[in-house]
DNA sequence: ACTTGTATCAGCCAAAAGGTGGAGAGACCA
DNA sequence: TGGTCTCTCCACCTTTTGGCTGATACAAGT
């Protein structure tokens, strides 16, 4: 039996110690490091080269989870990354999978689910919480209504109340392109205005 | 030295074990029970009569945190209840304090903060995370920023994505009046656009 | 009686957003 | 190679929104 080394990335101290306590009960799993931000995660991964990285997507300050995942994948593609977060937002799921996440767990997952995800990840298996899986399944059934990564990115910024101009600046694209993306997003979400899009996004997608 | 008995209420297993691990390092604090829902919390409180209840506001199903706090206070007013949650929503803070919470901690609080809150709570002291305190302070300082009932009604409909015209029809007022109310709402929320108002309302005020 | 707060309405103007109909570049796949 | 996606950009036009100023009416508290 090989021991699986795990790196925990979460800006909440309690969540980290909770995971550590839970994973500590498993003889074949060892937490080798902790990080509370994306930047720290990169350092810690460099230092410990864990087999699995358990990462929260929402980090208070600095690099967000998605960015961190991309960097981690780039440096060590063999490393399995499991997202461990509170919400099952469509956009986040798509972006995380796109960035290279192997699994997607919600924080209310049962301990057994977490263990299974860690063990599965090192074998190249994708393990995800049921609500997440059902969302992905639905997306496969209706590919027309799935936002592209770029659109999801826009929608996410949209829910922060930015104007088209600000969106353009933030994403380094012209206002015209912003409007094009928005039109597509509206069509896919089945709404006519940005207000409705934001409402739909936050309510339906669990965005915050 | 008296040992402080604590009951943990959170629907996330990892958060519970994290808190347990953290609090376990303190000789004067003992976790005497855990619950993952409001209903369970009431039972557990009855059984263990803990000195302090650490409770998450957002519980997946059934009774929410606020309801649970009210019931707990009713049964045992001497018990100190500390809210331990992820977001510092204005509405949640007010409602929790109103329901009888002694403290309000955010999940990214440092361990020392948590210990201090538990110890302070049994002495009747209110301990809260800095962002929470600053919000409460701001509310006391600026009663001007409280929405009138009519404005709140509008804001609520706004978060459903309605246009000014639709808002007018729904509330039987002219579009001009809608615009007036909106201008007041924007000023009070400190935003310039309806998009930002919706984002602020849903995120900060806990509207869903 | 006077002030304050709330709710209602109007008009004007500038800015932002949305609709329509394109179009080119790069990736990927059959 | 041809088709399909995705992302990017443009122009033109209409609708919507927001900023500003000002007004009336009613209720409640001082």
């Amino acid at each position: 039996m090989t021991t699986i080394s795990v790196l925990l990335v979460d800006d909440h101290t309690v969540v980290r110690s909770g995971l550590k306590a839970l994973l500590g009960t498993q003889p074949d799993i060892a937490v080798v490091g902790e990080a509370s931000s994306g930047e720290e995660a990169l350092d810690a991964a460099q230092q410990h080269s864990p087999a699995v990285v358990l990462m929260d997507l929402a980090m208070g300050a600095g690099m967000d989870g998605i960015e961190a995942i991309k960097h981690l994948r780039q440096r060590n593609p063999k490393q399995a990354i499991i997202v461990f977060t509170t919400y099952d937002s469509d956009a986040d799921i798509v972006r995380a999978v796109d960035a290279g996440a192997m699994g997607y767990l919600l924080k209310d997952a049962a301990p057994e689910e977490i263990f299974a995800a860690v063990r599965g990840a090192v074998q190249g298996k994708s393990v995800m919480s049921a609500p997440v899986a059902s969302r992905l399944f639905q997306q496969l059934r209706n590919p027309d209504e799935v936002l592209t990564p770029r659109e999801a990115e826009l929608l996410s910024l949209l829910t922060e109340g930015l104007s088209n101009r600000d969106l353009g600046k933030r994403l380094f694209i012209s206002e015209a392109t912003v409007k094009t993306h928005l039109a597509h997003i509206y069509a896919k979400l089945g709404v006519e205005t940005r207000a409705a899009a934001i409402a739909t996004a936050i309510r339906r997608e669990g965005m915050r």
Side-chain angles (χ1 to χ4, degrees), chain A residues 57-58 64-66 69-70 81-106 126-140 146-149 152-153 156 204-207:
Chain A
L57 279 189
D64 75 345
I66 301 283
I69 292 177
K70 285 183 190 161
I81 300 166
I82 301 175
V83 172
F84 184 70
T85 194
T86 311
Y87 301 102
D88 54 343
S89 134
D90 282 353
D92 282 349
I93 297 173
V94 170
R95 292 197 306 152
V97 170
D98 205 61
M102 286 294 306
Y104 205 107
L105 294 175
L106 299 184
S126 280
V127 183
M128 51 189 61
S129 295
V132 176
S134 93
R135 279 180 183 277
L136 273 186
F137 184 72
Q138 220 167 12
Q139 294 205 332
L140 287 178
V146 180
L147 301 183
T148 68
E153 204 176 349
S156 162
R204 218 170 74 178
E205 318 292 344
M207 282 185 182

Side-chain angles (χ1 to χ4, degrees), chain A residues 44-67:
Chain A
Q46 199 87 6
Q47 197 182 330
H48 305 291
S49 26
V52 176
V53 179
L54 257 182
M55 168 142 53
D56 188 357
L57 279 189
M59 236 89 66
M63 187 187 304
D64 75 345
I66 301 283
E67 273 309 303

Side-chain angles (χ1 to χ4, degrees), chain A residues 10 16 20-21 44-45 50 73 78 88 96 98 108 138 141-143 155 158 174 183 185 191 205:
Chain A
D10 197 308
R16 287 203 310 275
K20 211 157 125 186
R73 297 284 318 172
K78 292 171 99 174
D88 54 343
D98 205 61
D108 56 3
Q138 220 167 12
R141 263 196 359 187
N142 284 1
L155 181 57
L158 197 64
S174 78
I185 290 172
V191 299
E205 318 292 344

Side-chain angles (χ1 to χ4, degrees), chain A residues 3-79:
Chain A
T3 302
I4 304 171
S5 54
V6 178
L7 169 66
L8 306 180
V9 187
D10 197 308
D11 60 340
H12 295 159
T13 309
V14 284
V15 173
R16 287 203 310 275
S17 35
L19 276 172
K20 211 157 125 186
L22 279 180
L23 295 176
T25 64
Q26 303 305 106
D28 59 332
I29 301 178
V31 175
V32 297
E34 297 184 35
S36 63
S37 71
E39 288 83 353
E40 279 181 39
L42 295 187
D43 288 351
Q46 199 87 6
Q47 197 182 330
H48 305 291
S49 26
V52 176
V53 179
L54 257 182
M55 168 142 53
D56 188 357
L57 279 189
M59 236 89 66
M63 187 187 304
D64 75 345
I66 301 283
E67 273 309 303
I69 292 177
K70 285 183 190 161
H71 283 106
L72 286 174
R73 297 284 318 172
Q74 210 168 358
R75 294 200 192 166
N76 183 358
K78 292 171 99 174
Q79 205 160 52

Side-chain angles (χ1 to χ4, degrees), chain A residues 138-196:
Chain A
Q138 220 167 12
Q139 294 205 332
L140 287 178
R141 263 196 359 187
N142 284 1
D144 287 0
E145 292 176 11
V146 180
L147 301 183
T148 68
R150 194 56 157 173
E151 285 162 0
E153 204 176 349
L154 242 120
L155 181 57
S156 162
L157 288 176
L158 197 64
T159 63
E160 285 171 21
L162 300 186
S163 68
N164 290 348
R165 186 172 306 166
D166 293 337
L167 289 171
K169 281 182 188 165
R170 189 77 83 86
L171 298 174
F172 304 107
I173 57 180
S174 78
E175 218 177 308
T177 307
V178 170
K179 289 170 105 178
T180 304
H181 285 308
L182 286 182
H184 294 158
I185 290 172
Y186 297 162
K188 288 179 180 176
L189 292 185
V191 299
E192 282 92 41
T193 68
R194 76 170 41 211

